[in-house]
């Protein structure tokens, strides 16, 4: 059996694995992605693409394509009624705490169903990695010897097997992850919070909902389950709740069509059932995200109730966090201890998202869909250097009894469910400030970040260039970017200074490739200081 070598073997070609492939390619990392299925998903499954995910897609050149494929923004509402023709229905929009203030992002979230999103991600991954993206290929087995992983893979169509030697193995292979099982990583948390039959069907409902078009249609008592719009015209999903012992024959299309008509409140609706899928709502978290040379991302690491739309988006954030760290370790300018910060940053975030989503599932009165929740992520790990004077900002427990923003022990969690507030504290995502007059494609401070580390300053200062060169000479890719340079300015004069705050008006931000701030400070007097800070972030002696 022949054996090939790659730096990273990605197992799983859903949204998380494909996003990771695109990001690894952007960092110049050689990798192979394998997916057991011959093609992308036919079922819509996840649909909500959050603002933070859209920012990541913006960075990999996919934002416009995803936006063009998604529902129009005016349809991103949420309907609640007994059926689709309830005259007493309620229709609400996304929860955006910052609507009255400056725009929080250049890339607001949208609805783009997984069966539409995955082909876009696959096309981009293949553009960047070519034949290294291999669908119809499954993982048979793997062994981890501490210095790498030996995997046996099989082409499903031919049965031909081959070996892959990888420095690192990343399991993006879903809730039933073979990678997680092979690494001996356990999951904790409840299963069976609900069982659902997902019915994909066609029906002329566009004219029925024309004055109430929404992304999701939640049915209130006596209605059961809800509808998810694929195109808000003919293509739909009906989620029918199954009791603990109840079952609906997924092959009896007449029965299923009847369920759809009853839920819609239209007895003579012309329904064509296309396919079905039964799924279970769980709320589980892996004990660890890394064991030796094996790492987990997406549903392999966390199974999040869909009530809130954060599951896929949390996984895309995993890929963004992990990709640059793998790149730094593989390139040799970071110690592999940097990979321990992946779990240190992402696992507490997933824990909090699971708690929020589980509370949503139990809230019969309805819950809010928060497009900006993941923008509030603030990491605390060895890959972030906190300001010496910064104490953790206390976050009060929600008064409504919903999931708390506090970690066990009372420390603030990585997310702030009370709403996004732009800031420049280390660990936070660098804030979006609209720019004008700059180069083509640069309309936000987010466009100045990456692909390596970025030193972000307000105005040109030759001394910062000397500091940047000192870091580069230490072997770390760092680019100096200036907010106000030439014709480029903030669209709202003084906005960058306002976000920085008067006490940090002259500060520079050291921004990681994932857009999170690693350090904030004034220009050091000694040229050895900034390289030492960067080495600290990278866990490099």
């Amino acid at each position: 059996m022949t054996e090939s070598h790659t730096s990273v073997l990605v197992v799983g070609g859903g949204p998380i694995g494909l996003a990771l492939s695109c990001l690894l390619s952007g960092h110049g990392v050689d990798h192979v992605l394998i997916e057991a299925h011959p093609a992308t998903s036919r079922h819509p499954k996840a649909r909500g693409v959050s603002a933070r995910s859209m920012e990541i897609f913006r960075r990999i050149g996919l934002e416009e394509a995803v936006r063009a494929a998604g529902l129009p923004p005016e349809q991103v509402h949420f309907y609640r009624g007994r059926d689709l023709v309830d005259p007493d229905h309620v229709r609400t929009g996304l929860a955006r705490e910052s609507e009255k203030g400056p725009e929080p992002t250049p890339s607001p979230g949208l609805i783009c169903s997984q069966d539409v999103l995955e082909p876009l991600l696959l096309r981009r991954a293949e553009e960047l990695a070519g034949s290294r993206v291999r669908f119809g290929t499954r993982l048979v087995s793997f062994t981890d010897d501490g210095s790498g992983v030996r995997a046996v893979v099989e082409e499903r169509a031919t049965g031909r097997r081959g070996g892959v030697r990888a420095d690192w193995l990343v399991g993006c292979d879903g809730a039933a992850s073979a990678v997680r099982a092979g690494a001996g990583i356990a999951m904790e948390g409840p299963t069976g919070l609900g069982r659902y039959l997902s019915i994909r069907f066609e029906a002329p409902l566009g004219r029925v909902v024309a004055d109430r078009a929404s992304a999701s249609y939640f049915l209130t008592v006596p209605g059961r389950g809800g509808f998810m719009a694929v195109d808000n015209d003919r293509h739909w999903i009906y989620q029918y709740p199954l009791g603990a012992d109840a079952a609906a024959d997924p092959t009896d299309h007449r029965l299923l069509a009847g369920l759809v008509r009853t839920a819609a409140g239209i007895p003579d609706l012309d329904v064509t059932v296309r396919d079905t899928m039964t799924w279970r709502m769980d709320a589980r978290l892996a004990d660890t995200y890394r064991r030796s040379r094996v790492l987990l991302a997406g549903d392999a690491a966390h199974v999040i109730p869909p009530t809130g739309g954060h599951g896929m988006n949390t996984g895309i954030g995993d890929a963004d966090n992990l990709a640059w760290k793998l790149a730094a370790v593989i390139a040799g300018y970071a110690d592999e201890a940097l990979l321990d910060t992946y779990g240190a940053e992402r696992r507490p975030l997933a824990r909090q998202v699971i708690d929020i989503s589980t509370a949503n599932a139990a809230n019969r009165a309805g819950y809010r869909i928060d497009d900006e929740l993941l923008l509030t992520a603030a990491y605390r790990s060895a890959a972030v250097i906190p300001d010496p004077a910064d104490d953790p900002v206390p976050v009060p427990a929600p008064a409504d009894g919903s999931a708390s923003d506090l970690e066990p022990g009372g420390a603030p969690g990585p997310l702030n469910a009370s709403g996004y507030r732009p800031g420049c504290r280390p660990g936070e995502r660098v804030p979006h400030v609209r720019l004008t007059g700059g180069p083509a494609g640069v309309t936000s401070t987010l466009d100045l970040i990456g692909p390596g580390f970025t030193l972000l300053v307000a105005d040109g200062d030759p001394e910062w260039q000397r500091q940047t060169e000192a870091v580069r000479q230490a072997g770390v890719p760092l680019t100096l970017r200036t907010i106000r340079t030439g014709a480029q300015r903030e669209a709202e004069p003084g906005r960058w200074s306002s976000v920085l705050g008067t006490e940090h008006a002259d500060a520079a931000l050291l921004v990681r490739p994932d857009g999170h701030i690693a350090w904030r400070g004034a220009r050091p007097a000694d040229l050895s200081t900034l390289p030492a800070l960067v080495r600290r972030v990278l866990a490099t002696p």
Side-chain angles (χ1 to χ4, degrees):
M1 183 171 63
T2 59
E3 183 176 79
S4 60
H5 177 269
T6 187
S7 295
V8 181
L9 175 60
V10 179
V11 178
I16 313 312
L18 291 170
L20 179 59
S21 175
C22 293
L23 290 159
L24 289 173
S25 292
H27 292 299
V29 175
D30 173 62
H31 66 282
V32 170
L33 179 148
I34 61 171
E35 164 57 47
H37 291 93
T40 54
S41 174
R42 294 189 309 157
H43 208 83
K45 297 182 183 177
R47 300 181 311 137
V49 185
S50 74
R52 185 56 182 149
S53 294
M54 288 301 289
E55 291 178 353
I56 295 168
F57 292 162
R58 179 188 186 96
R59 202 183 322 133
I60 62 179
L62 263 181
E63 180 186 10
E64 290 184 7
V66 174
R67 201 167 294 285
L71 288 181
E74 62 270 17
Q75 294 183 7
V76 184
H77 284 75
F78 302 92
Y79 170 103
R80 286 180 173 83
R82 294 185 299 274
D83 50 37
L84 295 185
V85 292
D86 184 356
D88 299 320
H89 71 270
V90 175
R91 183 170 176 261
T92 58
L94 285 171
R96 285 190 171 124
E97 299 289 343
S98 49
E99 280 183 338
K100 297 180 182 179
E103 62 177 355
T105 175
S107 306
L110 50 75
I111 300 297
C112 183
S113 60
Q114 189 169 331
D115 59 322
V116 175
L117 176 63
E118 282 189 11
L120 299 176
L121 283 164
L122 175 58
R123 188 177 309 127
R124 184 61 175 152
E126 289 177 333
E127 287 172 357
L128 296 170
S131 62
R132 310 287 272 175
V133 177
R134 303 172 185 170
F135 271 55
T137 303
R138 74 182 184 98
L139 177 70
V140 176
S141 62
F142 71 88
T143 57
D144 178 354
D145 62 15
S147 60
V149 173
R150 274 199 164 84
V152 176
V153 302
E154 179 184 83
E155 294 180 1
R156 299 295 294 270
T158 65
R160 185 182 301 118
R161 292 189 174 188
V164 179
R165 173 71 178 179
D167 300 325
W168 301 94
L169 171 63
V170 184
C172 302
D173 51 341
S177 171
V179 172
R180 186 184 65 235
I185 299 174
M187 294 281 275
E188 60 182 38
T191 62
L193 300 177
R195 291 175 62 241
Y196 294 84
L197 175 65
S198 182
I199 306 170
R200 184 167 70 94
F201 68 95
E202 288 186 39
L205 285 172
R207 62 179 181 268
V208 175
V209 301
D211 65 340
R212 61 195 68 183
S214 302
S216 297
Y217 300 78
F218 300 107
L219 302 185
T220 56
V221 176
R224 298 191 67 189
F227 291 89
M228 302 192 308
V230 177
D231 64 2
N232 256 325
D233 185 16
R234 289 198 58 83
H235 298 277
W236 300 84
I237 295 290
Y238 173 48
Q239 301 282 16
Y240 176 71
L242 299 169
D245 301 316
D249 183 355
T251 66
D252 187 345
H253 284 197
R254 289 185 60 188
L255 170 64
L256 301 182
L259 293 177
V260 170
R261 293 186 186 103
T262 300
I266 307 171
D268 59 349
L269 182 66
D270 181 16
V271 176
T272 302
V273 174
R274 292 303 181 193
D275 63 44
T276 63
M277 180 181 71
T278 303
W279 59 277
R280 185 182 72 188
M281 186 186 297
D282 297 339
R284 293 170 66 73
L285 183 63
D287 288 348
T288 181
Y289 280 22
R290 176 192 176 196
R291 178 152 293 161
S292 184
R293 292 277 169 157
V294 180
L295 300 114
L296 305 177
D299 284 0
H302 44 72
V303 182
I304 298 171
T307 40
H310 299 304
M312 178 179 70
N313 295 298
T314 301
I316 291 169
D318 294 343
D320 193 33
N321 187 290
L322 179 57
W324 75 267
K325 294 174 179 177
L326 280 169
V329 171
I330 291 165
Y333 59 82
D335 188 87
E336 70 173 67
L338 175 65
L339 294 174
D340 291 332
T341 70
Y342 166 58
E345 293 178 348
R346 296 301 299 177
R347 191 174 181 277
L349 183 148
R351 172 75 273 164
Q352 193 174 351
V353 172
I354 287 171
D355 291 344
I356 290 170
S357 302
T358 303
N360 286 343
N363 188 348
R364 297 184 63 84
Y367 54 87
R368 62 187 228 156
I369 307 292
D370 189 349
D371 181 48
E372 297 174 8
L373 176 66
L374 299 178
L375 296 181
T376 72
Y379 297 142
R380 293 187 297 277
S381 78
V384 173
I385 301 174
D387 287 347
D390 271 356
D391 293 322
V393 177
V395 181
D400 61 2
S402 60
S404 173
D405 289 337
L406 300 180
E407 290 181 340
L415 297 171
N416 186 348
S418 67
Y420 173 70
R421 302 291 182 271
C424 294
R425 294 164 65 94
E428 295 178 340
R429 153 194 167 274
V430 72
H432 158 65
V433 170
R434 183 68 63 178
L435 301 177
T436 185
V442 177
T443 59
S444 165
T445 46
L446 273 59
D447 299 327
L448 301 176
I449 305 306
F453 279 78
T454 303
L455 193 63
L456 196 57
V457 298
D459 297 288
D461 180 344
E463 289 302 312
W464 276 121
Q465 188 61 51
R466 293 180 64 225
Q467 298 282 341
T468 302
E469 289 299 329
V471 174
R472 286 178 179 162
Q473 289 173 14
V476 179
L478 176 66
T479 303
L480 178 65
R481 301 285 189 189
T482 305
I483 301 294
R484 295 183 286 268
T485 178
Q488 180 176 287
R489 292 288 185 276
E490 305 107 302
E492 177 189 338
R495 176 63 187 156
W496 182 248
S497 298
S498 173
V499 170
L500 276 174
T502 54
E503 69 275 28
H504 298 289
D506 297 325
L509 303 180
L510 176 66
V511 185
R512 307 180 335 181
D514 61 357
H516 282 259
I517 299 165
W519 170 82
R520 173 177 64 182
R523 177 166 52 81
D526 190 331
L527 282 178
S528 66
T529 301
L530 190 58
L533 290 169
V534 174
R535 285 195 301 272
R536 179 176 162 187
V537 169
L538 294 170
T540 305

